[in-house]
Amino acid sequence: MMNEIRPRVTLVGAGPGDPELITLKGILALNKADVVLYDALIDTSLLNHAPDKALRIYVGKRNGSKKNPQEETNRMCVYYAKKFGHVVRLKGGDPFVFGRGAEEMDYIQEFGIKVDVVPGISSTVAVPAAAGIPVTKRGVSESYWVITGTTSNGELSRDLLLASKSKATVVLLMGTRKLREIVRIYEEQGFTDKAIAIIERGTTREEKIVAGTIGNIEKKAHEDQVGAPAIIIIGDVVRESPKLKAIYEAVVFENKLN
């Protein structure tokens, strides 16, 4: 007699990129997976934590690609759960921070399928931290905003204008293609000396960091050919990074000469 299939889905946050930054609970969920549906930004070594017999299916999307639309991924979660049992939906960062995890959960639960969530270390704080940038620091920044650089309609979030008027640290995801617009918002308020860093593929071996000020970051980003996936951090906390200290000491020196 065949075992009864009990469909369930676990949304697992894989962390910011370094495979060692997934949580123990995330690994334990992978250990019990019948199917793993994984994203583009996942380090594929994480798939080794799933049983040998588990199906491993890529459902990633990159740079606005129309391949693997979200609706199809939602349907796949339900289909494979009903057919095989335990589906682990492996997502970069945290499932609920610009990861569409809530959309997937809502859809799956409509079919009466149990959904568990394993939070992940969000790249919004982990990537800056790994670069020595504290998103908050006493006497420097008492809060931080996390904003999408590209909304569902492809535009820069209007929240950035509000955030730029505050003293808070601003962390932008999916914003490299909107760098000109981001810079313009700060320039129009006279914040050309505001510190900014762009971190591509943070916490991985391919990590690239470009830092400067609002006034020169476009030139630096072009020269260093920084691209997606990347996180943009704006605020005085960027100057607190030991890795970037020399850059900002040079900026201060140059300003004195001028």
Side-chain angles (χ1 to χ4, degrees):
M1 182 176 178
M2 294 182 62
N3 292 330
E4 180 185 358
I5 293 175
R6 297 181 179 180
R8 64 189 179 104
V9 176
T10 306
L11 304 180
V12 175
D18 181 342
E20 294 183 0
L21 289 176
I22 191 173
T23 65
L24 174 59
K25 192 165 187 175
I27 291 175
L28 293 176
L30 283 167
N31 290 165
K32 299 176 181 178
D34 296 307
V35 181
V36 182
L37 303 179
Y38 65 99
D39 278 348
L41 301 181
I42 299 301
D43 188 306
T44 53
S45 68
L46 290 174
L47 301 177
N48 295 330
H49 293 293
D52 291 340
K53 65 179 182 179
L55 294 178
R56 294 155 171 83
I57 302 170
Y58 175 77
V59 293
K61 296 177 286 295
R62 288 295 306 276
N63 300 326
S65 171
K66 293 183 179 179
K67 185 178 180 180
N68 300 322
Q70 183 62 50
E71 294 75 17
E72 179 60 22
T73 299
N74 294 347
R75 288 191 288 269
M76 289 173 73
C77 287
V78 172
Y79 171 79
Y80 284 106
K82 288 183 174 181
K83 186 170 183 179
F84 294 101
H86 183 207
V87 172
V88 169
R89 177 71 177 97
L90 191 59
K91 306 171 73 65
D94 179 270
F96 287 175
V97 181
F98 301 129
R100 297 186 177 180
E103 296 175 33
E104 293 177 3
M105 181 175 68
D106 290 344
Y107 181 88
I108 296 164
Q109 287 180 332
E110 288 180 1
F111 293 84
I113 297 174
K114 184 176 185 291
V115 180
D116 293 310
V117 179
V118 178
I121 299 174
S122 174
S123 59
T124 59
V125 291
V127 168
I133 302 172
V135 292
T136 63
K137 184 177 181 180
R138 187 165 57 173
V140 181
S141 174
E142 59 191 35
S143 62
Y144 66 97
W145 291 59
V146 177
I147 302 173
T148 177
T150 306
T151 62
S152 58
N153 59 11
E155 297 178 355
L156 181 65
S157 173
R158 294 180 181 179
D159 286 347
L160 181 59
L161 181 59
L162 296 172
S164 67
K165 296 177 184 295
S166 74
K167 295 181 180 179
T169 303
V170 175
V171 181
L172 287 135
L173 281 70
M174 300 173 286
T176 52
R177 292 187 176 184
K178 298 287 196 304
L179 184 59
R180 172 84 283 265
E181 295 177 55
I182 293 165
V183 165
R184 188 181 300 118
I185 286 174
Y186 282 87
E187 285 179 335
E188 289 175 351
Q189 298 180 76
F191 296 145
T192 55
D193 291 332
K194 179 81 75 174
I196 179 172
I198 305 173
I199 305 176
E200 178 183 346
R201 297 186 180 277
T203 76
T204 72
R205 289 188 296 271
E206 295 79 31
E207 180 179 271
K208 180 189 293 185
I209 304 176
V210 179
T213 64
I214 289 294
N216 65 23
I217 193 62
E218 284 186 278
K219 181 174 181 292
K220 287 192 170 191
H222 177 72
E223 290 173 346
D224 289 9
Q225 297 183 327
V226 67
I231 287 179
I232 300 172
I233 307 104
I234 305 172
D236 292 338
V237 291
V238 178
R239 301 178 191 268
E240 300 294 315
S241 167
K243 288 185 179 181
L244 306 178
K245 186 176 180 181
I247 292 173
Y248 290 105
E249 286 179 345
V251 169
V252 171
F253 180 72
E254 184 178 341
N255 288 342
K256 287 181 179 179
L257 291 178
N258 295 333

